[in-house]
mmCIF file of all heavy atoms in Angstrom:
data_model
loop_
_atom_site.group_PDB
_atom_site.id
_atom_site.type_symbol
_atom_site.label_atom_id
_atom_site.label_comp_id
_atom_site.label_asym_id
_atom_site.label_seq_id
_atom_site.Cartn_x
_atom_site.Cartn_y
_atom_site.Cartn_z
ATOM 1 N N ASP A 5 106.151 66.518 89.760
ATOM 2 C CA ASP A 5 105.032 65.967 90.448
ATOM 3 C C ASP A 5 105.212 64.493 90.585
ATOM 4 O O ASP A 5 105.191 63.689 89.665
ATOM 5 C CB ASP A 5 103.774 66.293 89.695
ATOM 6 C CG ASP A 5 102.508 65.766 90.480
ATOM 7 O OD1 ASP A 5 102.677 65.217 91.419
ATOM 8 O OD2 ASP A 5 101.388 65.974 89.804
ATOM 9 N N GLU A 11 101.664 58.920 87.620
ATOM 10 C CA GLU A 11 102.627 57.836 87.449
ATOM 11 C C GLU A 11 103.696 58.262 86.376
ATOM 12 O O GLU A 11 104.781 57.571 86.270
ATOM 13 C CB GLU A 11 101.947 56.608 86.977
ATOM 14 C CG GLU A 11 101.083 56.001 88.117
ATOM 15 C CD GLU A 11 100.353 54.685 87.643
ATOM 16 O OE1 GLU A 11 100.852 54.093 86.595
ATOM 17 O OE2 GLU A 11 99.473 54.315 88.326
ATOM 18 N N LYS A 12 103.537 59.349 85.680
ATOM 19 C CA LYS A 12 104.554 59.663 84.606
ATOM 20 C C LYS A 12 105.564 60.607 85.130
ATOM 21 O O LYS A 12 106.458 60.997 84.492
ATOM 22 C CB LYS A 12 103.794 60.443 83.444
ATOM 23 C CG LYS A 12 102.750 59.635 82.739
ATOM 24 C CD LYS A 12 102.083 60.390 81.705
ATOM 25 C CE LYS A 12 101.095 59.506 80.976
ATOM 26 N NZ LYS A 12 100.297 60.307 79.938
ATOM 27 N N GLN A 14 105.521 63.959 85.876
ATOM 28 C CA GLN A 14 105.563 65.044 85.054
ATOM 29 C C GLN A 14 106.320 66.263 85.644
ATOM 30 O O GLN A 14 106.030 66.625 86.788
ATOM 31 C CB GLN A 14 104.112 65.359 84.751
ATOM 32 C CG GLN A 14 103.933 66.713 83.935
ATOM 33 C CD GLN A 14 102.491 66.984 83.616
ATOM 34 O OE1 GLN A 14 101.491 66.230 83.967
ATOM 35 N NE2 GLN A 14 102.226 68.114 83.064
ATOM 36 N N LEU A 19 113.280 75.996 86.448
ATOM 37 C CA LEU A 19 113.975 77.258 86.828
ATOM 38 C C LEU A 19 115.477 77.194 86.511
ATOM 39 O O LEU A 19 116.080 76.295 87.069
ATOM 40 C CB LEU A 19 113.801 77.586 88.348
ATOM 41 C CG LEU A 19 112.493 77.896 88.837
ATOM 42 C CD1 LEU A 19 112.493 77.943 90.398
ATOM 43 C CD2 LEU A 19 111.853 79.122 88.289
ATOM 44 N N GLY A 25 124.167 80.634 78.834
ATOM 45 C CA GLY A 25 123.966 81.981 78.398
ATOM 46 C C GLY A 25 122.682 82.678 78.785
ATOM 47 O O GLY A 25 122.394 83.745 78.582
ATOM 48 N N VAL A 31 109.986 78.268 83.347
ATOM 49 C CA VAL A 31 109.029 77.743 82.528
ATOM 50 C C VAL A 31 108.069 76.958 83.322
ATOM 51 O O VAL A 31 108.515 76.046 84.147
ATOM 52 C CB VAL A 31 109.626 76.786 81.407
ATOM 53 C CG1 VAL A 31 108.535 76.166 80.567
ATOM 54 C CG2 VAL A 31 110.734 77.475 80.566
ATOM 55 N N ASN A 32 106.766 77.279 83.282
ATOM 56 C CA ASN A 32 105.713 76.484 83.958
ATOM 57 C C ASN A 32 105.069 75.561 83.006
ATOM 58 O O ASN A 32 104.584 75.958 81.822
ATOM 59 C CB ASN A 32 104.766 77.306 84.636
ATOM 60 C CG ASN A 32 105.155 78.165 85.748
ATOM 61 O OD1 ASN A 32 105.739 77.498 86.644
ATOM 62 N ND2 ASN A 32 105.281 79.488 85.521
ATOM 63 N N CYS A 36 100.149 69.598 78.678
ATOM 64 C CA CYS A 36 100.664 69.601 77.279
ATOM 65 C C CYS A 36 101.187 70.978 76.997
ATOM 66 O O CYS A 36 100.393 71.981 76.956
ATOM 67 C CB CYS A 36 99.408 69.395 76.307
ATOM 68 S SG CYS A 36 99.907 69.494 74.563
ATOM 69 N N GLY A 41 109.535 79.256 69.230
ATOM 70 C CA GLY A 41 110.001 80.587 69.330
ATOM 71 C C GLY A 41 111.099 80.772 68.192
ATOM 72 O O GLY A 41 111.460 79.830 67.493
ATOM 73 N N ASP A 42 111.510 82.038 68.120
ATOM 74 C CA ASP A 42 112.576 82.317 67.127
ATOM 75 C C ASP A 42 113.931 81.654 67.485
ATOM 76 O O ASP A 42 114.146 81.164 68.612
ATOM 77 C CB ASP A 42 112.839 83.877 67.070
ATOM 78 C CG ASP A 42 111.620 84.596 66.467
ATOM 79 O OD1 ASP A 42 110.851 84.016 65.781
ATOM 80 O OD2 ASP A 42 111.432 85.802 66.871
ATOM 81 N N LYS A 47 114.963 77.516 73.311
ATOM 82 C CA LYS A 47 114.190 76.239 73.122
ATOM 83 C C LYS A 47 115.136 75.039 73.433
ATOM 84 O O LYS A 47 114.779 74.129 74.210
ATOM 85 C CB LYS A 47 113.598 76.163 71.773
ATOM 86 C CG LYS A 47 112.597 77.223 71.505
ATOM 87 C CD LYS A 47 112.099 77.024 70.042
ATOM 88 C CE LYS A 47 113.176 77.070 68.984
ATOM 89 N NZ LYS A 47 113.769 78.324 68.694
ATOM 90 N N ILE A 50 116.010 74.429 77.109
ATOM 91 C CA ILE A 50 114.893 73.808 77.883
ATOM 92 C C ILE A 50 114.994 72.301 77.635
ATOM 93 O O ILE A 50 114.947 71.531 78.586
ATOM 94 C CB ILE A 50 113.613 74.369 77.441
ATOM 95 C CG1 ILE A 50 113.430 75.806 77.906
ATOM 96 C CG2 ILE A 50 112.402 73.554 78.084
ATOM 97 C CD1 ILE A 50 112.274 76.579 77.311
ATOM 98 N N TYR A 51 115.073 71.839 76.375
ATOM 99 C CA TYR A 51 115.159 70.445 76.086
ATOM 100 C C TYR A 51 116.343 69.771 76.722
ATOM 101 O O TYR A 51 116.301 68.721 77.246
ATOM 102 C CB TYR A 51 115.133 70.177 74.596
ATOM 103 C CG TYR A 51 113.830 70.523 73.844
ATOM 104 C CD1 TYR A 51 113.855 71.459 72.844
ATOM 105 C CD2 TYR A 51 112.648 70.006 74.337
ATOM 106 C CE1 TYR A 51 112.615 71.710 72.187
ATOM 107 C CE2 TYR A 51 111.458 70.307 73.714
ATOM 108 C CZ TYR A 51 111.461 71.201 72.636
ATOM 109 O OH TYR A 51 110.215 71.460 72.099
ATOM 110 N N THR A 53 118.046 70.640 79.331
ATOM 111 C CA THR A 53 117.981 70.610 80.732
ATOM 112 C C THR A 53 117.047 69.479 81.130
ATOM 113 O O THR A 53 117.358 68.748 82.038
ATOM 114 C CB THR A 53 117.350 71.948 81.288
ATOM 115 O OG1 THR A 53 118.123 73.082 80.852
ATOM 116 C CG2 THR A 53 117.314 71.958 82.757
ATOM 117 N N ALA A 58 116.670 63.895 83.313
ATOM 118 C CA ALA A 58 116.227 62.513 83.231
ATOM 119 C C ALA A 58 117.294 61.456 83.300
ATOM 120 O O ALA A 58 117.038 60.269 83.580
ATOM 121 C CB ALA A 58 115.494 62.386 82.006
ATOM 122 N N LEU A 59 118.562 61.878 83.260
ATOM 123 C CA LEU A 59 119.678 60.850 83.244
ATOM 124 C C LEU A 59 119.807 60.263 84.612
ATOM 125 O O LEU A 59 119.556 60.682 85.578
ATOM 126 C CB LEU A 59 120.985 61.499 82.904
ATOM 127 C CG LEU A 59 121.049 61.943 81.348
ATOM 128 C CD1 LEU A 59 122.350 62.562 81.160
ATOM 129 C CD2 LEU A 59 120.868 60.710 80.481
#
Side-chain angles (χ1 to χ4, degrees):
D5 182 359
E11 295 180 12
K12 296 179 183 179
Q14 177 180 351
L19 296 171
V31 179
N32 292 301
C36 179
D42 293 333
K47 299 178 303 289
I50 294 169
Y51 292 126
T53 305
L59 293 178

